[in-house]
Amino acid sequence: MNPLMQEELDEIEQQEIEERQSFRVTDLDSLNWVFRKLAAIEAKKTEVNKLAAAEICRIQDYQKRELDKLAKDEEFFRTHISAYASMRKEADPKFKSEKTPYGSFTLKKQQPKWNYDDAKLVSWLEFNDCEDLVRIKKEPAKSEIKKMFVVTDSGEVVDPNGQVVEGIQVEFRGDELVIKPEV
């Protein structure tokens, strides 16, 4: 951060609480002063975020290296448990589990998993007259609704015949103040 920005931040810290409470923007000079302070704050936030991002990257790299190493070790040991379980199951078809003071494993039957390619399946169902097995999602075409209907001053939406469209209420909002200090 440049020294001028640091000076602006130092000035903010030196202000007393009473000064802050009584301060008002009254002219172009005071507005300029406020924007200088906001620009200094933005510069400091950028500096803090850059430093934090660099440290976060270092910590995440460390975390990834350590977890990758642990994942390889874990896979090694799980593979040996799996081989042991297969050997026991082969020797005794009724074998289900094993316990030790430090852990256990269990062989559980699983239901078959169905993997769907929705587009192909829907095409096949429609071609083979099984439309009753295809669901159709109903939802309003909102962009078309905005073009077709009119909003009243009270926020109600009406069709071309003047009938109120149920299920829509328009909320009128005030202007948004967007402050962008230059850094």
Side-chain angles (χ1 to χ4, degrees):
M1 180 174 8
N2 73 40
L4 288 176
M5 294 289 187
Q6 186 59 49
E7 190 175 311
E8 296 295 341
L9 289 175
D10 293 343
E11 190 176 320
I12 291 172
E13 291 175 5
Q14 291 172 1
Q15 276 188 327
E16 292 184 24
I17 295 173
E18 293 172 9
E19 276 185 59
R20 283 183 173 226
Q21 290 176 346
S22 65
F23 178 78
R24 300 282 181 264
V25 175
T26 57
D27 57 11
L28 196 54
D29 286 338
S30 59
L31 179 62
N32 189 45
W33 183 85
V34 167
F35 273 117
R36 281 197 331 259
K37 302 305 175 210
L38 284 175
I41 290 169
E42 286 297 319
K44 183 66 176 180
K45 284 170 44 179
T46 300
E47 182 180 301
V48 168
N49 285 335
K50 281 182 184 177
L51 176 62
E55 291 302 311
I56 288 170
C57 283
R58 288 182 57 213
I59 291 169
Q60 286 174 335
D61 288 345
Y62 163 78
Q63 179 186 30
K64 184 178 180 340
R65 282 191 314 271
E66 292 299 313
L67 291 178
D68 286 347
K69 187 172 24 169
L70 292 171
K72 288 177 185 173
D73 292 343
E74 181 180 24
E75 182 61 28
F76 172 79
F77 292 115
R78 287 182 179 274
T79 301
H80 284 288
I81 292 172
S82 179
Y84 175 76
S86 295
M87 179 186 73
R88 290 288 309 267
K89 183 73 172 176
E90 205 173 284
D92 178 10
K94 293 184 179 186
F95 175 77
K96 298 244 189 257
S97 67
E98 189 77 70
K99 290 183 181 182
T100 74
Y102 295 101
S104 64
F105 70 84
T106 305
L107 296 170
K108 293 195 296 185
K109 287 205 179 276
Q110 295 186 68
Q111 293 295 321
K113 181 180 178 192
W114 292 40
N115 297 313
Y116 299 98
D117 181 336
D118 291 348
K120 286 181 182 177
L121 178 58
V122 168
S123 295
W124 187 91
L125 291 169
E126 288 173 343
F127 183 77
N128 290 289
D129 296 324
C130 298
E131 286 90 7
D132 57 321
L133 298 175
V134 179
R135 288 188 288 201
I136 299 174
K137 183 179 179 182
K138 291 185 179 184
E139 60 183 24
K142 294 176 182 175
S143 60
E144 297 301 317
I145 288 172
K146 287 180 181 179
K147 293 175 189 173
M148 190 172 207
F149 300 131
V150 178
V151 179
T152 65
D153 292 338
S154 64
E156 292 180 323
V157 177
V158 295
D159 67 5
N161 298 326
Q163 182 177 353
V164 175
V165 177
E166 293 183 24
I168 305 174
Q169 183 65 35
V170 177
E171 174 187 348
F172 296 105
R173 303 183 300 176
D175 296 340
E176 177 186 9
L177 175 63
V178 179
I179 299 174
K180 294 182 181 179
E182 294 294 323
V183 180

